[in-house]
Amino acid sequence: MAPVTRVVIIGGGPGGYEAALVGSQLGGDVTLVDTDGLGGSAVLTDCVPSKTLIATAEVMMTVKGSEELGLRIDNDNGTDNADGVTIDLGKVNRRVLKLAERQSKDIRDKVIAEGVEVVNGLGRLDGPATVVAETAEGERRFDADVVLISTGAHPRELVTAQPDGERILTWTQVYDLTEIPEHLIVIGSGVTGAEFASAYDALGARVTLVSSRTTVLPGEDSDAAKVLQDVFTERGMEVLSESRAESVTRDGDTVTVKLTDGRTVTGSHCLMAVGSIPNTAGIGLEEAGITLDKGGFIEVDKVSRTSARGVYAAGDCTGVNMLASVAAMQGRIAMWHALGDAVAPLDLNVVSSNVFTSPEIATVGVTQKQVDSGDVRALAINMPLATNPRAKMQGIHEGFVKLFCLPTTGIIVGGVVVSPHASELIHTISLAVSEKITVDNFAHDFTVYPSLSGSIAEAARRLHGHSTDKLEKHIEI
């Protein structure tokens, strides 16, 4: 009988708990050491809470646009103004935290049911093959054949803008608010900043977004970012482009943001969304021979191996495309590799992602930046949703579908969707990219009429027959 492989995992986020499930499935003796609650920040302070808050904001946006669809909302003042709908933020945030707690418990129950030992404690390495857990009952030591580090990350803080949890906040602290901020200043226009700015704008707060770049979402498709910034400004949000925050101070119920150009912005609350710091300090990584980059992230290869034999890493602590789905796949790949199962290296070219703003922005595969720079030779087509019949019925005015395909073969290599529920629509393009489907094959499949997904098929049909001499053009329909 073959000896059982002892697997010890530090951190119970998506990378950790998915690795635990696979490790147990493949016959490993798995111990998971976790300090905050299974699901990690993705479930407790990030993805699940923020998207639950955003779900309420989406309903509010629907209500605000209902008059165009012929709905009448009678308010106490006798008007038909949807702005009369109010938000009980305390109740919203209690629901947010309750859902996060429930999801964490469901994950814990599932992991334990699969035979994984869950240890509540702070884990660290004592060499590459021993994990020490500091628990309420004292120190416990676990020898391991395989170790996985999945310790996540935490919000970056500025020395000159220290959060107080009341008026100056990180994204983990916003769920303690019981009233809609009168004027929320969001510093940082990346995904986190844009999502919270969009949500609180929909919930009725006055929002100022401080963006260090020309447009919001500098890491996303430039056409999509422009649409979102235009939507923000049309809705009354103040976007301060090419502006950097130097400091944030509080005086009673007022916060003041000083910009590097000398200007100041005052508001009732400030949300800091200026990046993440990996949770890799002080847990014995470098002493165990694990290489960290200059930002403190764990360096891994495409099967999640670190520089120390038998030690793997997954999730935000690696800095690899910091998405919950990527963390989960890194954890699974680590266990498949470590326990001798069939495994393919992580392929970031097929990862789909979504920005949960209003409208949403979903992407997969090749990007416009890669095409424009010449790194990828591909043809792009952009189909505005304004011509889509379902979009007209639903009162959708902004957004588009963009497809990228290779010349000659017509294989779909990427796409962008800017639309309500783009996170659901991107899956068809994701499948096309993963399975190397051509625009001709895609165009021959049926779509429902009318539907937003019909624009994806229409884009594929429009790409049919375009010759390579049009590659330099960005086709707009």
Side-chain angles (χ1 to χ4, degrees):
M1 184 175 178
V4 175
T5 302
R6 294 166 300 176
V7 178
V8 182
I9 298 167
I10 303 177
Y17 76 74
E18 287 289 345
L21 292 171
V22 172
S24 181
Q25 179 188 37
L26 296 180
D29 178 8
V30 183
T31 300
L32 174 58
V33 180
D34 180 76
T35 185
D36 296 323
L38 293 199
S41 61
V43 169
L44 296 169
T45 60
D46 195 350
C47 293
V48 170
S50 65
K51 277 51 177 181
T52 306
L53 175 72
I54 289 167
T56 299
E58 287 176 347
V59 174
M60 192 64 176
M61 286 302 300
T62 301
V63 171
K64 286 181 177 180
S66 62
E67 291 179 62
E68 179 183 346
L69 305 184
L71 300 183
R72 175 173 177 171
I73 298 177
D74 291 323
N75 297 319
D76 292 338
N77 60 9
T79 68
D80 299 335
N81 188 350
D83 290 337
V85 177
T86 59
I87 298 292
D88 183 343
L89 188 62
K91 185 174 182 179
V92 171
N93 281 335
R94 287 192 295 274
R95 176 175 182 265
V96 165
L97 296 176
K98 186 175 181 180
L99 277 173
E101 182 182 356
R102 187 187 309 159
Q103 181 67 11
S104 179
K105 181 181 182 302
D106 287 346
I107 294 169
R108 182 184 178 89
D109 290 345
K110 181 178 180 180
V111 166
I112 292 175
E114 293 298 319
V116 176
E117 180 186 8
V118 177
V119 176
N120 297 323
L122 184 63
R124 59 179 172 84
L125 289 180
D126 185 8
T130 302
V131 172
V132 178
E134 301 289 346
T135 74
E137 293 77 30
E139 183 178 285
R140 294 182 62 183
R141 300 177 67 85
F142 302 90
D143 294 328
D145 302 305
V146 176
V147 172
L148 176 78
I149 309 297
S150 184
T151 48
H154 62 275
R156 178 171 171 255
E157 298 178 4
L158 303 180
V159 175
T160 56
Q162 287 295 299
D164 61 12
E166 295 178 350
R167 296 279 171 172
I168 305 174
L169 308 160
T170 68
W171 67 79
T172 66
Q173 298 170 329
V174 295
Y175 309 109
D176 292 327
L177 294 176
T178 56
E179 295 182 356
I180 299 293
E182 180 183 345
H183 181 189
L184 176 66
I185 305 168
V186 179
I187 298 177
S189 62
V191 173
T192 300
E195 287 185 344
F196 277 109
S198 179
Y200 275 97
D201 176 69
L203 293 174
R206 176 187 170 194
V207 176
T208 297
L209 179 60
V210 179
S211 172
S212 63
R213 305 296 181 88
T214 304
T215 60
V216 300
L217 297 174
E220 298 296 322
D221 180 89
S222 58
D223 293 330
K226 184 179 185 306
V227 168
L228 187 64
Q229 179 145 325
D230 289 345
V231 168
F232 280 177
T233 54
E234 286 170 9
R235 291 175 183 165
M237 186 187 303
E238 183 180 19
V239 179
L240 301 179
S241 300
E242 298 182 281
S243 302
R244 290 182 179 274
E246 182 177 286
S247 65
V248 182
T249 55
R250 175 184 175 182
D251 182 11
D253 293 342
T254 301
V255 294
T256 300
V257 177
K258 182 179 179 181
L259 305 180
T260 54
D261 62 8
R263 290 178 297 163
T264 61
V265 185
T266 59
S268 62
H269 296 75
C270 179
L271 172 63
M272 305 295 299
V274 290
S276 300
I277 302 294
N279 298 325
T280 55
I283 57 173
L285 300 184
E286 292 176 296
E287 295 82 352
I290 296 170
T291 302
L292 307 180
D293 68 14
K294 62 182 181 180
F297 293 97
I298 301 172
E299 294 187 354
V300 293
D301 64 14
K302 291 188 177 182
V303 290
S304 305
R305 289 179 296 192
T306 71
S307 54
R309 184 178 178 84
V311 181
Y312 295 74
D316 288 357
C317 64
T318 69
V320 177
N321 206 339
M322 297 167 74
L323 298 169
S325 58
V326 173
M329 186 58 73
Q330 284 181 296
R332 296 185 201 109
I333 287 173
M335 290 300 104
W336 290 329
H337 185 271
L339 299 180
D341 202 16
V343 62
L346 180 67
D347 183 4
L348 295 178
N349 292 319
V350 298
V351 173
S352 56
S353 63
N354 193 72
V355 184
F356 289 86
T357 47
S358 178
E360 294 182 2
I361 298 173
T363 58
V364 65
V366 164
T367 65
Q368 187 68 54
K369 185 177 180 180
Q370 290 175 308
V371 174
D372 291 343
S373 66
D375 291 341
V376 176
R377 194 163 175 262
L379 186 64
I381 191 166
N382 188 316
M383 296 284 298
L385 285 182
T387 60
N388 180 288
R390 186 68 183 275
K392 293 175 182 176
M393 297 169 191
Q394 295 180 322
I396 298 170
H397 303 288
E398 307 89 10
F400 62 82
V401 169
K402 183 189 292 187
L403 283 184
F404 300 97
C405 76
L406 297 179
T408 308
T409 64
I411 292 173
I412 296 172
V413 290
V416 182
V417 179
V418 181
S419 167
H421 306 297
S423 50
E424 309 295 341
L425 293 169
I426 197 66
H427 187 233
T428 56
I429 304 177
S430 181
L431 283 174
V433 171
S434 297
E435 301 303 320
K436 296 180 171 56
I437 294 172
T438 68
V439 290
D440 290 346
N441 287 337
F442 196 102
H444 290 157
D445 290 330
F446 280 90
T447 57
V448 171
Y449 182 87
S451 67
L452 297 181
S453 59
S455 286
I456 304 175
E458 176 69 10
R461 287 194 293 274
R462 294 299 182 93
L463 282 170
H464 171 69
H466 279 289
S467 58
T468 56
D469 65 354
K470 294 185 180 180
L471 281 171
E472 300 304 318
K473 298 180 180 179
H474 181 69
I475 302 172
E476 298 278 357
I477 300 300

